[in-house]
Amino acid sequence: MSVLVVGSVAFDALETPFGKVDRTLGGAATYFAVAASYFVPVRLVGVVGDDFTATDGAIFKGRRIDTQGLERVPGKTFFWAGRYSEDMNQRITLATELNVFADFNPRLPPAYRDSKFIFLANIHPSLQESVVKQVNGRPKVVALDTMNYWIERTPKELRKTLKLVDILVINDAEARQLSGKHNLLQAAQVIFRMGPKTLVIKRGEVGAVLMRGKEVFTVPGFPLHDVRDPTGAGDCFAGGFMGALARAGRVTDSNLRAAMVYGSVMGSFAVERFGLDRLRKLRAREVHVRARSFYKLTRFRL
Amino acid sequence: MSVLVVGSVAFDALETPFGKVDRTLGGAATYFAVAASYFVPVRLVGVVGDDFTATDGAIFKGRRIDTQGLERVPGKTFFWAGRYSEDMNQRITLATELNVFADFNPRLPPAYRDSKFIFLANIHPSLQESVVKQVNGRPKVVALDTMNYWIERTPKELRKTLKLVDILVINDAEARQLSGKHNLLQAAQVIFRMGPKTLVIKRGEVGAVLMRGKEVFTVPGFPLHDVRDPTGAGDCFAGGFMGALARAGRVTDSNLRAAMVYGSVMGSFAVERFGLDRLRKLRAREVHVRARSFYKLTRFRL
């Protein structure tokens, strides 16, 4: 079972207390695709400019990532520059140049239209909706990420799209903003009524929470000695989560729990090095070993 | 096996978005003692003024809490007033009147001197040290809580006391401040060299982390629909943790993990109502049921 992802492919300029890079491949769909490809084949939909070289695209090669949906148009690729605070819990955006991403209108190649596991990364909710509409038949899982920008500026469009969504994957601040509730259990109840019956709340280094009906499952963040660059952690979490769920093939409580662990695993690898550096060299064996270490991290007997 | 606790007994004036009380019994040692008493007998050392009535002391009755170490002196009991922010993640202190607590010099009644499990709640590190010195023989566990005030103002005294401590129980900001490391694994390594070989980091609603050698164990916060008043949550965590550990009788990896779960359980009850209101009515059966629900909250299979 493959996963379809739609979202940004970008060049990032990153600055953290541990270093600086001027131009590295990034974007939510990129991180997601690389992370998910450890579990299942990935179908990528995005747009890049003519400054996107074969070297840039090398990350997708040999990884079960289908890039026929990665459109290439005249102009420059989406560019984002950001700087993280000393403790890396805050970041400021130094530049956002949408470039070719400004006119992004995702189109699914015919070969993608039978997709059953779909991840709508953080883009305009109407574009997210259009992607779902292009899929033939009933997908097994439509999952969506969004952000404060869309929650504030396109609430109507977002509400419309959320009706089509099974799993909402956002961070705690976004869950609170979208629901108007500070308490996360109360926030989940409000969000369930908007459409998604499953809510995944990403909490950065602390881990993530899954809520579904009355069920709650928590997964910790993997304890790391060195965190170099938080960029892409949330997207890698989503990639690991959706990849593992698609590999399992069915949405069950047990599969969702395992997917949460794999999400946390992939998010933890992402932050160990700059940009995609850790993921470039990551081996399937390492994913397996780290996932199993979550048993030790959480197991107890009363 | 009983637990000895030394710390503040106070009257609190509390204000949260859910209500207000002008005078309710509080203080770290009070919360700790009530929480720990669900697991083992507790020996309390503290001081109150002559405004402390039999009604105030009723909370200790019928609970296996020995109060012969609760000194009663002329003057007023320690008073603290605080107000929590809308999201309850921050609080401002409106008043701190030390009163009789200013001259607190903990003295262990002879019957307490054989204590094996000792919790030094947040007071001047030299007073904490003097308590350990009054104990006969080698205790099994000396655990200590402290705060930014002592880390900043009495670093030498604190370092001296930490040499006698087995388990340090603090929050993440305090761990970072004490160690000078933002990364919590790195912070733990620094703290281990100060004396404590086990570090418990309390992270509020998110849960807690146990670090010991290379072992890490995480426990989530229990998801609650209603959080009314965070006061005393950390002290109840410590009470549940130490109580469960003392009941187990031996410090093993497995017992520490279970103790972490009971800590989280007791912290979660504390915040459901104002002050000690929830704990006043809490039954052993409820503790048992909530602890077992942590299996469901954390269990997965890859």
Side-chain angles (χ1 to χ4, degrees), chain B residues 7-78:
Chain B
S8 61
V9 176
F11 290 121
D12 293 340
L14 306 169
E15 200 177 333
T16 86
F18 298 95
K20 203 176 161 195
V21 290
D22 288 338
R23 179 188 186 276
T24 187
L25 185 64
T30 309
Y31 280 104
F32 180 99
V34 173
S37 72
Y38 282 85
F39 304 89
V40 287
V42 178
R43 296 164 170 182
L44 177 64
V45 175
V47 64
V48 292
D50 45 27
D51 54 350
F52 187 88
T53 66
T55 312
D56 295 318
I59 184 92
F60 300 127
K61 303 291 173 209
R63 275 182 206 275
R64 303 196 287 178
I65 300 175
D66 186 338
T67 55
Q68 62 173 294
L70 183 62
E71 220 183 328
R72 196 189 165 95
V73 301
K76 291 175 78 175
T77 301
F78 181 19

Side-chain angles (χ1 to χ4, degrees), chain A residues 1 60 84 147 149 165 274:
Chain A
M1 202 71 77
F60 300 126
Y84 290 85
M147 72 185 292
Y149 187 91
V165 169
F274 263 74

Side-chain angles (χ1 to χ4, degrees), chain A residues 1 10 46 75 88 128 163-164 188-190 193 200 255 271:
Chain A
M1 202 71 77
M88 292 191 287
Q128 294 175 315
K163 292 198 169 73
L164 310 171
Q189 296 306 319
V190 172
R193 287 197 291 273
V200 174
N255 291 343
V271 304

